[in-house]
Amino acid sequence: MEPAIVAFAFLLILMLSLAALPARASDFAMHCPPGWQVENGDQMLRRCISPSRDAFIEVYVYGGEAADLSAYLDRQVQALAQKGLPFHQFRKEAPGNVSGIPALTREYTGTANNALFHSYVVATSHGGKTYLLQALYLADRAQTLQPQIRDAMNSWTYPSVEQAKASPPSQTQPDKTPDAAVSGGRSYASRDQCVDYLCRPFSDSCNTYDRGADANHFRYLLCKSAWDKCYSYCTGYWSMALTCTKEAVTATQGYWISACGALAHDERAMQDCFRRGMIDGDNLLREMRGRPECKAGSN
């Protein structure tokens, strides 16, 4: 057996030994690359193993949502590296989403049993759970394996969220007068109404921008992050009073524009800025939930 395959087999056995608290009934879907071996479970939702056994993808689910995806990945990568996984050298990090829910992706490289590996690690929280994807592949087979792994990662969805997106939007438009929004703590009629009222006006300005021209352009990242987070807020907080949800979204978008725009020359600093804005917005929403004026009355 070739040394590289021996190294891969060692890592696969190691992953089989990792255990954590169970978190069943997860809202998860992802396709393995064609021809790859597929394994499913409770804690380990999906494992994909390449036919030549030189790459694998795994997705795990854990109870509880991670408030800070960056800090969560720091802990997970450190723990996995201590167990022998080759997360030795950080390559890059990028924000993303799963069905519009914010996610964070990192890439690493490292050596195990004298073989060089590249890897992806992704974290995202949804529905009271945190999902962790890890994918490792032999570096000398990157040209073949990396596109297959990326396609599988891009197929990752939350079926309940996708179903909600496909549902016909509410025909009832929100009353856009400030007095009506305050009166009685009235909430949005639905998640779709919240999205139409808060998210689309901001993101519509992105539609004419060629996102494929430069995925790291500040305007692209700003628009994408604004849409992802606004959609997340409307999914979880549409039933709060109109003015309260709007205040949190506006505060977060304003933070990104004023603080993060100045960092457009530094991709990593800009992404860190986005994360701080997301966390501040989440904290503001949680604090607002306890305010009397934010508790929506009956519609």
Side-chain angles (χ1 to χ4, degrees), residues 8 12 19 70 75 81 98 102 127 159 162 194 213 217 246 269 274 278 285:
F8 174 79
L12 188 56
S70 182
R75 295 191 299 271
V98 176
E162 294 298 326
C194 179
H217 191 284
K246 184 176 181 180
F274 284 156
M278 290 178 182
L285 273 167

Side-chain angles (χ1 to χ4, degrees), residues 11 17 52 60 79 83 85 87 93 116 123 133 136 148 152 157 171 183 185-187 189 232 239 265 272-273 280-281:
L11 292 175
S17 69
S52 52
Y60 291 83
K83 293 178 180 294
L85 273 294
F87 301 118
E93 177 181 284
L116 181 64
L133 178 147
L136 281 84
Q148 296 181 72
T157 61
Q171 298 302 311
S183 177
R186 187 170 61 80
S187 70
S232 175
S239 59
H265 62 284
D272 289 341
C273 185
D280 289 347

Side-chain angles (χ1 to χ4, degrees), residues 38-207:
V38 182
E39 299 175 3
N40 301 314
D42 291 330
Q43 180 70 46
M44 184 198 71
L45 297 174
R46 186 69 41 83
R47 175 181 286 130
C48 314
I49 304 174
S50 65
S52 52
R53 302 188 70 80
D54 49 10
F56 66 82
I57 307 166
E58 294 180 328
V59 181
Y60 291 83
V61 61
Y62 303 87
E65 293 196 9
D68 184 339
L69 293 178
S70 182
Y72 178 80
L73 281 180
D74 286 342
R75 295 191 299 271
Q76 289 290 341
V77 168
Q78 182 180 15
L80 291 170
Q82 289 175 348
K83 293 178 180 294
L85 273 294
F87 301 118
H88 300 146
Q89 182 178 352
F90 172 82
R91 299 174 69 189
K92 61 181 178 179
E93 177 181 284
N97 73 88
V98 176
S99 295
I101 305 299
L104 191 62
T105 300
R106 289 184 184 174
E107 296 181 41
Y108 292 87
T109 189
T111 302
N113 285 14
N114 298 317
L116 181 64
F117 289 87
H118 293 321
S119 59
Y120 291 102
V121 186
V122 186
T124 176
S125 290
H126 163 62
K129 301 176 179 68
T130 296
Y131 297 76
L132 180 71
L133 178 147
Q134 49 204 22
L136 281 84
Y137 60 98
L138 285 171
D140 61 5
R141 290 260 294 147
Q143 186 173 358
T144 298
L145 296 171
Q146 186 182 42
Q148 296 181 72
I149 290 173
R150 290 295 305 182
D151 286 346
M153 291 168 59
N154 290 335
S155 75
W156 180 1
T157 61
Y158 295 131
S160 68
V161 177
E162 294 298 326
Q163 184 177 3
K165 287 181 182 179
S167 300
S170 170
Q171 298 302 311
T172 304
Q173 296 298 316
D175 189 337
K176 296 185 178 182
T177 60
D179 291 342
V182 174
S183 177
R186 187 170 61 80
S187 70
Y188 292 96
S190 67
R191 176 207 61 126
D192 292 311
Q193 193 180 73
C194 179
V195 169
D196 289 339
Y197 185 66
L198 289 183
C199 309
R200 295 196 191 283
F202 188 87
S203 64
D204 281 349
S205 64
C206 306
N207 290 340

